[in-house]
């Protein structure tokens, strides 16, 4: 990850230091050739510049039959709070006209346009019972990429507005439901004749 703060938080989930954490943008990362069994991007592929170039680099880095994946989560509160979120962000001149962008709907097109041998694109999902505090949801939304154009004070005001609107919609400070995690993946094949339509 390019953000040291994100890695600091992630390391808290790795107390035995089983993972090698690297603070570097993916565009600058040196991929070893024919080395990886899995390359996964969770809710970030849509943010990368030069996506076709990145796909080619990933293809060269994957072992035969290794998988390239993108993953994302549809949080249990998203649909319920969507009107409040869109309205609140609009108050700060931020439009939210591409809901679901984390799923990177162009991923299939990018793979196909690469003309590289990949298998059929497949998607799996799992639903997990979840409970979220409304305050935490409001704080989270002020940290996402869209909100980073705002000043610190504006983000604080946005969080307050979001929380106020959420409480108008809910009789509780907690929301429960099923969060659905998705993973879309394709395997590197040995030749174009073995790859399917993506």
């Amino acid at each position: 990850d390019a953000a040291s703060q994100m890695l600091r938080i992630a390391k808290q989930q790795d107390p035995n230091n089983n993972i090698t954490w690297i603070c570097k943008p993916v565009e600058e990362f040196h991929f070893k050739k024919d080395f990886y069994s899995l390359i996964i991007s969770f809710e970030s592929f849509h943010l990368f510049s030069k996506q076709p170039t990145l796909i080619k680099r990933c293809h060269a880095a994957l072992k035969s039959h290794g998988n390239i994946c993108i993953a994302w989560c549809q949080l249990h509160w998203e649909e319920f709070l969507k009107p409040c979120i869109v309205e609140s962000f609009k108050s700060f001149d931020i439009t939210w006209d591409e809901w679901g962008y984390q799923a990177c709907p162009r991923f299939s097109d990018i793979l196909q346009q690469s003309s590289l041998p990949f298998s059929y694109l497949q998607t799996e999902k799992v639903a997990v019972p979840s409970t979220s505090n409304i305050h935490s949801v409001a704080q989270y939304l002020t940290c996402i990429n869209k909100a980073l154009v705002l000043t610190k004070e504006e983000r604080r005001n946005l969080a307050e507005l979001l929380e106020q609107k959420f409480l108008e919609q809910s009789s509780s400070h907690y929301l429960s439901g099923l969060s659905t995690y998705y993973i879309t993946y394709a395997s590197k094949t040995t030749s174009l004749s073995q790859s399917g339509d993506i």
Side-chain angles (χ1 to χ4, degrees), residues 76-77 80-81 130-134 137 166 170 172-177:
H76 64 94
W77 45 262
F80 177 63
L81 296 178
S130 306
T131 299
S132 298
N133 178 294
I134 279 179
V137 173
F166 294 167
S170 174
S172 169
H173 284 266
Y174 292 89
L175 297 172
S176 296

Side-chain angles (χ1 to χ4, degrees), residues 29-114:
F29 181 73
H30 175 70
F31 289 100
K32 296 178 183 177
K33 187 172 172 58
D34 300 316
F35 183 78
Y36 305 94
S37 298
L38 172 68
I39 297 175
I40 185 168
S41 172
F42 184 80
E43 294 194 349
S44 56
F45 190 84
H46 60 285
L47 299 172
F48 298 142
S49 61
K50 302 178 182 175
Q51 293 169 345
T53 301
L54 181 56
I55 289 291
K56 289 177 182 174
R57 292 179 62 218
C58 289
H59 184 271
L62 285 169
K63 295 177 183 177
S64 180
H65 305 295
N67 292 302
I68 183 168
C69 315
I70 63 165
W72 68 96
C73 180
Q74 184 176 0
L75 296 161
H76 64 94
W77 45 262
E78 286 187 59
E79 278 305 312
F80 177 63
L81 296 178
K82 180 178 178 179
C84 298
I85 294 168
V86 171
E87 184 182 338
S88 298
F89 273 79
K90 189 175 182 180
S91 300
F92 289 82
D93 295 323
I94 300 173
T95 58
W96 205 313
D97 51 3
E98 72 284 63
W99 196 269
Y101 59 92
Q102 303 97 323
C104 194
R106 288 195 59 247
F107 188 60
S108 176
D109 293 339
I110 294 165
L111 286 182
Q112 197 165 24
Q113 290 165 7
S114 75

Side-chain angles (χ1 to χ4, degrees), residues 5-19:
Q5 183 179 1
M6 295 291 278
L7 292 182
R8 181 180 54 78
I9 294 168
K11 285 178 183 178
Q12 294 170 6
Q13 306 301 315
D14 180 31
N16 297 323
N17 297 315
N18 293 322
I19 298 171

